[in-house]
Amino acid sequence: MLPKINTLSGYLYEYQKSVANPEAFWENIAENFYWHKKWDKVLEWDRDGHNVQWFVNGKLNITENIFEKNLFILGDKPAIIWEPNNPDEPTVTLTYKQLHEKVCQFANVLLQNGVKKGDRVCIYLPMVPEAAIAMLACARVGAIHSVVFAGFSASSLADRINDAEVKVVLTSDGNFRGAKSIPVKAVVDEALESCPLVEKVIVLKRTSIEVTMKPGRDIWWHDAIRGVSIENKAQEMDSEDMLFILYTSGSTGKPKGVVHTTGGYMVYTAYSFANVFQYNINDIYFCTADVGWITGHSYIVYGPLLNGATAVMFEGVPNHPGVDRFWQIIEKHKVTHFYTAPTAIRSLMGYGTEPIERHNLSSLKVLGSVGEPINEEAWHWYHTHVGKGNCPIVDTWWQTETGGIMISPIAGVTPTKPAYATLPLPGVQVIIVDNEGNELKGNNVEGNLCIKFPWPSMIRTTYGDHERCVNTYFSSFKGLYFTGDGVKRDADGYYRILGRVDDVINVSGHRLGTAEVENAINSHPLVIESAVVGFPHEVKGQGIYAYVVLDAASKNHDPEKIKASLLAAATKVIGPIAKPDKIQLVTGLPKTRSGKIMRRILRKIAEGDATSLGDTSTLLDPGVVKEIIEGALVPV
Ligand code: 6R9
């Protein structure tokens, strides 16, 4: 087991140690893993070019650290408890031994289908055990997985497949989500029309809807594994070999492929899981995220399994068949650790406490929150009604790029404070800077959240474009990793995340670039241009507000029909998560004389606060603002 902090003074001691000598600190943690060959050097770092290597020349396979290292002790312990969308369907439990066999078998399937070390495999699967099996099988053979959330559209999927030059796609016939059944394979077929490099598609049967199978390219999962050996020797990987790519939205351009590598990611996710959640070996841990997001990667699959944890994996949604579904799962599996997103808490709050009271939640010990700032009301509701006042809430701040949790209470150790992520984990050197990059020292300060020293699971590059990585994260403030978030450090030295300060919006915990949504809207033939901003939304955290300028030809069309077709365009180009909540048709956008859209003004109007627009004198046409305010939609 990994060393665990269990007192506040222990935390302070470890933190000091990790800052005084990060290399010695992480080396000590890394010693707990199984390496074919240990590192020659703990850290190699070139600050300016952002070339960072952890556990240099170490050799290992991450799946051996999940399975072989622990099988003797963990063999019959459940690794994954899978809860299907329909509660009448049986739960599937896979022990460590069974999961190991399935991973090895599928690793052999990948090899037989021509997948070699370093090849990219796209995983576009619903929340079924095979999603975890697929990820681990890739890691076993040294293939780089790129999981794409199965709610993304065909064109988003195609972009991600092409950017990573994917060779093999793993998917399913369909997907059950709540009352809906989604035709997943049909989306893949559409995407692959523009993905010439894909050689094989392996299709899991889940919903049994009819699908077309392209001869020579498409194979059924059950046919592919038939008769295949359950023994597989893990591929030896370098510490810095890529483990996976995960696409995420930024403020400009198309989503970028965030790259994580093997050794550092393993050490950090395992260490942070053990410490933040204070997981003990008989606990049952339930994270409601989807494996399509970083939370699913680090804290459903890798972090928990590296710790020998039992993880509940849920296929469905919180309100199907009833709004007590989460509570029913907690009671059924005697869940001790529950990790979810503020948006889910806020939406369930709307149904009152009766659905909770129907269930016995006394097994719960720790509650977690991730994905967006948790407001105080939701924090208190979660604490009082779900945790009955007895469970610490770990409000975990981190990002796809950070790989693992960065600022968070340690359960039962760090005194919590509603809406505060509290204190950085050991090894995380937080610095707050103003817009000019000056450090804001001391307490009671507010500014841009940066990290000044590398940590093992930090982003290594953006796939295929290292310069983009350097420009996006390391050039706003010299020598610092810039997170894109605003933060406040209060009088106690506690951190409160204030949300994004760039053009990224966070809708129900899903990251979207405003430019991405604008591109989708602009794909509509009647649109000349558009500007998208976020606005405060009671359940989603942020909603999407789109200001759209239409072509003169639109005069002949019903504006309501146009709005509906704009929603359809966003769904088609990105996916349903990108559908605007409000669309305001305008005749022009507020622009500076150099043609830059003044988003600050549009944001204020969308928030319903048109009184403090600041200086509008630099605008090309100030009249536009008045018109927009008059037609503004009431925020919900
Ligand atoms: C893990 C994950 C990252 C962005 C991040 C921030 C927001 C995540 C948060 C939080 C406040 C928390 N965020 N956790 N804000 N409190 N506990 O969500 O990764 O999808 O990359 O999003 O989410 O704005 O910058 P990702």
Side-chain angles (χ1 to χ4, degrees):
M1 283 299 276
L2 289 169
K4 265 197 294 203
I5 291 165
N6 44 34
T7 59
L8 191 58
S9 57
Y11 159 74
L12 294 170
Y13 175 74
E14 290 297 313
Y15 190 79
Q16 296 300 341
K17 233 173 45 176
S18 77
V19 173
N21 190 343
E23 283 94 337
F25 178 83
W26 289 114
E27 176 157 51
N28 190 33
I29 309 291
E31 294 284 356
N32 292 282
F33 294 84
Y34 170 60
W35 301 81
H36 291 196
K37 175 186 166 293
K38 289 211 175 141
W39 47 93
D40 298 332
K41 200 175 169 202
V42 178
L43 171 67
E44 190 79 71
W45 181 34
D46 139 38
R47 193 188 276 257
D48 293 331
H50 183 54
N51 289 306
V52 61
Q53 296 179 54
W54 280 93
F55 312 113
V56 183
N57 289 329
K59 306 288 176 200
L60 74 159
N61 185 289
I62 196 168
T63 70
E64 288 178 334
N65 281 278
I66 292 174
F67 300 116
E68 278 84 345
K69 175 170 167 262
N70 296 321
L71 270 183
F72 187 64
I73 316 168
L74 296 176
D76 294 323
K77 182 181 195 264
I80 293 178
I81 298 175
W82 178 69
E83 183 62 33
N85 181 58
N86 175 354
D88 297 332
E89 229 191 281
T91 298
V92 173
T93 301
L94 293 175
T95 64
Y96 272 85
K97 188 163 169 285
Q98 291 165 331
L99 182 61
H100 178 230
E101 289 174 0
K102 286 187 183 291
V103 167
C104 287
Q105 184 180 51
F106 204 72
N108 290 329
V109 168
L110 292 175
L111 293 172
Q112 285 170 9
N113 282 282
V115 174
K116 294 184 303 299
K117 179 179 171 184
D119 285 345
R120 275 79 55 211
V121 173
C122 174
I123 300 175
Y124 187 73
L125 276 168
M127 281 292 286
V128 288
E130 284 78 3
I133 293 167
M135 289 162 75
L136 296 170
C138 288
R140 186 85 180 170
V141 302
I144 302 161
H145 57 72
S146 164
V147 183
V148 177
F149 172 60
F152 276 120
S153 67
S155 85
S156 292
L157 175 62
D159 285 347
R160 286 158 173 77
I161 288 175
N162 287 329
D163 186 77
E165 298 176 303
V166 162
K167 193 167 174 182
V168 171
V169 178
L170 311 176
T171 189
S172 66
D173 53 355
N175 172 0
F176 291 126
R177 254 181 96 73
K180 286 187 259 176
S181 153
I182 296 153
V184 178
K185 173 66 163 55
V187 178
V188 173
D189 289 339
E190 189 187 335
L192 293 192
E193 281 171 25
S194 50
C195 302
L197 297 176
V198 172
E199 292 168 13
K200 286 271 160 39
V201 181
I202 305 180
V203 188
L204 180 79
K205 193 176 269 263
R206 174 65 189 117
T207 60
S208 297
I209 47 158
E210 199 146 328
V211 294
T212 36
M213 297 289 279
K214 188 170 167 182
R217 186 193 72 181
D218 301 353
I219 332 157
W220 284 107
W221 189 293
H222 53 265
D223 289 334
I225 63 173
R226 191 171 298 133
V228 174
S229 163
I230 53 170
E231 274 168 37
N232 173 279
K233 189 164 171 294
Q235 172 73 44
E236 180 174 284
M237 305 296 284
D238 186 88
S239 198
E240 283 300 331
D241 277 335
M242 287 186 199
L243 177 64
F244 66 85
I245 306 170
L246 184 59
Y247 285 84
T248 192
S249 299
S251 31
T252 54
K254 288 203 167 168
K256 46 191 169 288
V258 171
V259 170
H260 285 290
T261 57
T262 307
Y265 179 82
M266 172 182 78
V267 169
Y268 195 87
T269 53
Y271 174 79
S272 53
F273 176 79
N275 278 283
V276 168
F277 294 101
Q278 293 285 305
Y279 181 86
N280 288 314
I281 204 66
N282 291 320
D283 291 339
I284 310 284
Y285 165 88
F286 174 24
C287 168
T288 68
D290 190 286
V291 289
W293 312 115
I294 191 68
T295 306
H297 283 60
S298 302
Y299 300 110
I300 293 180
V301 179
Y302 290 108
L305 297 180
L306 284 162
N307 279 282
T310 297
V312 175
M313 189 175 179
F314 175 42
E315 185 184 34
V317 292
N319 57 1
H320 177 82
V323 295
D324 62 342
R325 192 64 201 280
F326 280 169
W327 323 131
Q328 178 246 330
I329 295 173
I330 293 172
E331 178 174 26
K332 179 173 175 191
H333 298 295
K334 300 197 169 47
V335 168
T336 54
H337 291 65
F338 179 62
Y339 191 28
T340 195
T343 185
I345 300 167
R346 286 190 299 264
S347 78
L348 295 173
M349 272 167 75
Y351 302 103
T353 55
E354 186 278 326
I356 299 185
E357 280 147 21
R358 257 185 265 155
H359 298 279
N360 178 355
L361 306 188
S362 61
S363 55
L364 284 174
K365 295 198 287 196
V366 175
L367 301 176
S369 172
V370 61
E372 47 174 323
I374 178 166
N375 49 311
E376 288 179 43
E377 199 191 347
W379 194 99
H380 284 294
W381 191 85
Y382 197 27
H383 189 251
T384 308
H385 300 294
V386 182
K388 317 291 179 204
N390 299 320
C391 303
I393 295 180
V394 290
D395 176 3
T396 62
W397 172 84
W398 59 296
Q399 309 177 296
T400 305
E401 295 86 344
T402 69
I405 297 169
M406 303 293 278
I407 306 181
S408 166
I410 291 178
V413 169
T414 317
T416 57
K417 193 175 201 174
Y420 278 76
T422 75
L423 298 170
L425 295 193
V428 177
Q429 300 192 28
V430 172
I431 170 169
I432 306 181
V433 298
D434 66 15
N435 289 343
E436 282 67 52
N438 305 306
E439 176 169 6
L440 301 175
K441 295 195 178 134
N443 290 341
N444 270 325
V445 290
E446 198 175 305
N448 300 301
L449 173 56
C450 297
I451 319 281
K452 66 177 173 197
F453 195 84
W455 63 101
S457 64
M458 85 188 298
I459 178 175
R460 295 301 193 271
T461 191
T462 47
Y463 192 79
D465 191 351
H466 191 64
E467 212 177 303
R468 187 169 179 202
C469 173
V470 176
N471 288 338
T472 310
Y473 303 106
F474 299 92
S475 56
S476 306
F477 305 109
K478 199 167 165 38
L480 303 177
Y481 167 77
F482 176 43
T483 63
D485 280 311
V487 71
K488 165 179 161 179
R489 185 165 49 219
D490 76 355
D492 300 326
Y494 266 32
Y495 292 91
R496 177 176 190 157
I497 310 299
L498 303 172
R500 302 289 300 200
V501 293
D502 55 8
D503 286 325
V504 169
I505 45 183
N506 193 326
V507 184
S508 300
H510 303 318
R511 262 170 80 168
L512 287 165
T514 50
E516 252 180 288
V517 184
E518 286 161 11
N519 286 340
I521 293 173
N522 297 351
S523 72
H524 190 285
L526 288 176
V527 172
I528 295 181
E529 63 175 345
S530 62
V532 164
V533 295
F535 69 95
H537 188 287
E538 213 170 296
V539 173
K540 299 179 180 184
Q542 277 189 302
I544 303 177
Y545 196 121
Y547 299 89
V548 182
V549 182
L550 296 176
D551 194 282
S554 64
K555 298 260 177 323
N556 310 322
H557 295 75
D558 172 1
E560 289 312 310
K561 284 211 176 108
I562 296 180
K563 285 186 189 177
S565 62
L566 293 174
L567 295 182
T571 307
K572 178 144 183 52
V573 178
I574 304 174
I577 53 175
K579 262 203 299 208
D581 299 273
K582 299 202 166 296
I583 298 177
Q584 183 178 352
L585 303 177
V586 295
T587 54
L589 297 170
K591 287 189 185 170
T592 60
R593 281 166 216 279
S594 60
K596 228 172 159 276
I597 296 172
M598 297 278 278
R599 283 165 197 287
R600 178 176 55 78
I601 292 176
L602 294 175
R603 238 178 261 137
K604 282 274 178 206
I605 298 173
E607 280 166 17
D609 176 18
T611 51
S612 54
L613 294 182
D615 183 13
T616 54
S617 62
T618 55
L619 290 180
L620 195 60
D621 176 8
V624 155
V625 176
K626 187 166 172 276
E627 184 207 302
I628 295 178
I629 294 172
E630 280 163 6
L633 307 166
V634 187
V636 284

